[in-house]
Amino acid sequence: MKRALILAAATFAFIGAPAIAGGGGGGSSSSSPSSSGANYDPVEEYQKGVELLKAGEYGKAEKAFKRVAKVAKKDANTQYMLGLSHFGQEEFKPAARAFRKAVKYEAKLYPAYGKLGRAYLQTGDEDKASEVLTDLQSASTACAETCPEAADIASAIQELEAAQAASAPIETSDLGELSQLASLEAGDTLYAEAIRLINIGAYEDAKAELRAAGEILGPHPDVLTYLGFAHRKQGETEKAFMYYSAALSIAPDHLSANEYLGEYYVELGDLDRAQAQLDKLNALCPFGCAQTEELAKWIAGAEA
């Protein structure tokens, strides 16, 4: 399935997370994300930005994605969308900065590489564009057309090579991916498929599905939580912590994010922090919930 860029309609619906292997189910203790004292929902703001981007209102889209970035500080999709907003305004240096952040925060967001190379070409920096192409070709070799991101890698290479070969700069309004629209139901479907893959231990494929869901839904705490979970199960602890922290920055009372962060601390041997997470969950679930029971088992097992 090609994942160059999938965009969604404006109305946002929270996902009900299915039960997941190895821990309690997902979900928030409330239906509205909150963080850092922000008086707006960053997920809804992301959707607003997407709609503005699709409508060609790049300046307004830029403002929306900057608001999202204040809360979702290391969200790769937000930076990618911000880069597209700058690109549409022919602001190529800010576009390149945003695309660089996107690939820094998520190295497998390959559509951002294609746009980063194009932004470099627009500023006349052919050497950096060539470096981006080299990185993509290396990723293609490593993937050998078998990884979940194979189509994205090939598309980014084709886009950048076409831009390099063009006798004149490609039209800056050529953001062709904006015609590839997807419904929010598609995001839900991708998310549900990711959970299925997690339940059978197919974590790499699950991460690809979750990244695609994130392009549609924005920095949704459920998506971020399960990205953290999948990374943790593959031993990628720094990435796991990054995604759990991102989820909790948006929805501090998210039950699964708090539980899985506690499990993360147990795995590190930091039982004091794990207990702090359990105390928080007990406060959030005064009558008990699956997440408190699961984390309590983890702590008890570690203590034994």
Side-chain angles (χ1 to χ4, degrees), residues 38-152:
N39 59 357
Y40 56 89
D41 182 337
V43 180
E44 291 181 357
E45 193 73 10
Y46 181 97
Q47 292 297 323
K48 174 184 173 182
V50 165
E51 288 302 303
L52 291 166
L53 194 61
K54 285 157 54 179
E57 298 187 51
Y58 301 119
K60 292 180 180 179
E62 175 196 342
K63 291 179 181 178
F65 291 123
K66 282 183 174 178
R67 281 164 61 86
V68 178
K70 287 181 180 179
V71 176
K73 297 182 185 298
K74 294 186 177 182
D75 184 67
N77 287 316
T78 300
Q79 291 298 326
Y80 180 38
M81 296 294 183
L82 179 58
L84 291 178
S85 302
H86 283 300
F87 199 95
Q89 298 175 84
E90 302 186 15
E91 298 171 348
F92 302 117
K93 288 185 177 180
R97 284 197 296 271
F99 294 140
R100 280 198 301 269
K101 288 182 180 180
V103 300
K104 175 183 178 181
Y105 300 151
E106 179 47 72
K108 293 186 177 181
L109 186 58
Y110 291 110
Y113 287 87
K115 289 295 184 294
L116 175 59
R118 282 181 60 183
Y120 283 143
L121 288 175
Q122 293 285 1
T123 62
D125 199 333
E126 296 183 5
D127 289 342
K128 286 187 177 179
S130 295
E131 289 174 8
V132 173
L133 182 58
T134 299
D135 289 342
L136 284 168
Q137 290 168 336
S138 297
S140 179
T141 299
C143 173
E145 299 184 357
T146 61
C147 64
E149 301 82 15
D152 278 357

Side-chain angles (χ1 to χ4, degrees), residues 4 13 17 48 52 86 110 156 179 187 190 196 230 254 260 289:
K48 174 184 173 182
L52 291 166
H86 283 300
Y110 291 110
S179 63
L190 289 165
R196 185 191 71 80
H254 192 278
Y260 295 148
C289 56

